[in-house]
Amino acid sequence: TAEDIPADLPVDTDWDEIYDTLPTSGMSTAGREAPSEDYERPITTEESLEEHLLWQINLLRLSDADRAIASAIIDSLDRDGYLTAGVDDLQATLTDDDGSGPDVEEIGAVLKLVQGLDPVGVAARDLRECLLLQLAQVVPDTPWLREARRCCDEFMDLLGGRDYNQLMRKLKLSKDELRSTLVLA
């Protein structure tokens, strides 16, 4: 019966002995930051982009093959987060001696997944793709979004050259409309 169960049951360990989520870098408890809401991830000050992306990949339910593809993509990023290898190069890297390996479509699908990680725009192959990935995260009914996407997609050379007169002409926008568009781009 419920009356026979004591109020305090004996325990052989403390919770903190099992689940220590705070950093132990010699700081007193007063100087520690509270754990953030990122699945009790240890707080580090100098995390690399690669570590940050791998951490995110490890939170996803992926097959071993897709995890290997994602790791190969992350390994192929330069220090600015741009993908330096083509899909064919990644396929060659991931193909075994017996010729088995992922197909181009599977690599492309995992690439899209990696490009959806934080920071937005990572694993883009160039500035145009990076900006388009970032614009894809903007709320769809944002004013001037369609024009900003078109500006980045079709007129990167004019945008890079700051040829605003030509941009206004090509996009059929006034000076103020172009200014509103460029805030997004």
Side-chain angles (χ1 to χ4, degrees):
T1 66
E3 311 151 344
D4 297 333
I5 301 174
D8 290 326
L9 295 173
V11 293
D12 57 353
T13 57
D14 288 330
W15 185 261
D16 291 340
E17 292 173 0
I18 300 170
Y19 298 104
D20 184 19
T21 60
L22 296 175
T24 58
S25 61
M27 294 189 297
S28 69
T29 42
R32 291 183 181 167
E33 294 181 34
S36 61
E37 293 182 18
D38 60 357
Y39 302 100
E40 298 184 12
R41 183 170 167 220
I43 300 166
T44 60
T45 55
E46 294 294 325
E47 181 180 51
S48 71
L49 176 62
E50 180 180 8
E51 291 168 333
H52 182 65
L53 294 171
L54 289 172
W55 171 77
Q56 293 174 79
I57 289 296
N58 286 329
L59 293 177
L60 301 174
R61 289 181 178 237
L62 296 175
S63 67
D64 290 341
D66 286 350
R67 193 171 304 281
I69 295 169
S71 293
I73 290 169
I74 292 168
D75 286 343
S76 297
L77 300 179
D78 68 13
R79 67 184 196 101
D80 295 322
Y82 285 102
L83 183 62
T84 58
V87 175
D88 293 333
D89 298 327
L90 290 167
Q91 185 182 32
T93 301
L94 294 162
T95 300
D96 293 333
D97 292 336
D98 64 358
S100 65
D103 59 25
V104 173
E105 291 80 24
E106 187 175 4
I107 294 170
V110 176
L111 175 58
K112 291 287 183 205
L113 181 127
V114 172
Q115 289 175 334
L117 298 176
D118 174 63
V120 177
V122 72
R125 289 159 274 209
D126 56 28
L127 178 60
R128 178 191 149 280
E129 185 176 25
C130 181
L131 291 173
L132 289 171
L133 288 168
Q134 292 174 14
L135 288 172
Q137 299 295 315
V138 176
V139 177
D141 62 350
T142 300
W144 306 107
L145 179 59
R146 188 175 71 79
E147 291 81 0
R149 283 186 181 140
R150 190 165 170 233
C151 184
C152 292
D153 192 29
E154 299 174 30
F155 306 114
M156 274 304 290
D157 56 335
L158 297 176
L159 185 60
R162 299 177 189 227
D163 192 346
Y164 302 124
N165 289 329
Q166 194 73 297
L167 276 172
M168 286 188 295
R169 202 172 5 257
K170 298 268 187 186
L171 293 169
K172 297 182 173 103
L173 299 174
S174 70
K175 192 174 193 173
D176 288 336
E177 291 170 335
L178 181 64
R179 188 174 292 119
S180 297
T181 297
L182 295 180
V183 167
L184 290 174

